[in-house]
Amino acid sequence: MLDCHIIVSADTQPDWLLQCRSSVQLAADLAGFPVRIHEVPGVAGHIGKARALGYACGSNPYVTSVDDDDYIFPNAFACVAGSLTQQPGAVYTRECEL
C-alpha cells in the first residue's frame, strides 16, 4: 500500500544513516500493511532530482519519503493505516522536534 524512499547522501554520518534505516524498517514491520522501502542516492545540490528518483521507484498507491538523517517513530506508518484504507487523495504526516 505504501512505498517509502530514503535519499542517501554521501556525506551523511554513518550512525545517523543506520538509525534512519532501522527506524524506517521497524515502522514498516509494525505498519499492519505492506510498506516497501527504497534507497536512492542523493544528488549533490539538487534534492528534487533525488526525490524524483525515489518516487519513481514506487508502484503502490501511496508514497512517502524520509531523509537519511531522520528518525521516524515505530508507529509512524501504523498511525496512517486507517486513513489510507479510506483511499484519500493524500495523507500528510507531521514533523516534530524532540
Side-chain angles (χ1 to χ4, degrees):
M1 183 182 312
L2 179 68
D3 284 289
C4 177
H5 70 266
I6 304 170
I7 294 175
V8 179
S9 300
D11 59 350
T12 299
Q13 293 184 26
D15 56 330
W16 292 1
L17 180 56
L18 178 61
Q19 181 173 328
C20 175
R21 285 176 172 146
S22 297
S23 72
V24 173
Q25 186 61 60
L26 179 58
D29 292 344
L30 299 175
F33 57 86
V35 177
R36 275 188 251 145
I37 302 167
H38 311 275
E39 289 193 15
V40 295
V43 177
H46 204 304
I47 195 167
K49 289 182 181 178
R51 284 270 180 256
L53 288 171
Y55 288 131
C57 290
S59 61
N60 279 308
Y62 297 100
V63 296
T64 192
S65 61
V66 176
D67 293 330
D68 57 359
D69 61 351
D70 290 346
Y71 166 87
I72 66 170
F73 290 111
N75 66 339
F77 297 141
C79 285
V80 298
S83 297
L84 295 181
T85 59
Q86 295 175 17
Q87 300 178 343
V91 175
Y92 177 76
T93 56
R94 294 179 12 183
E95 259 183 50
C96 68
E97 292 185 30
L98 299 177

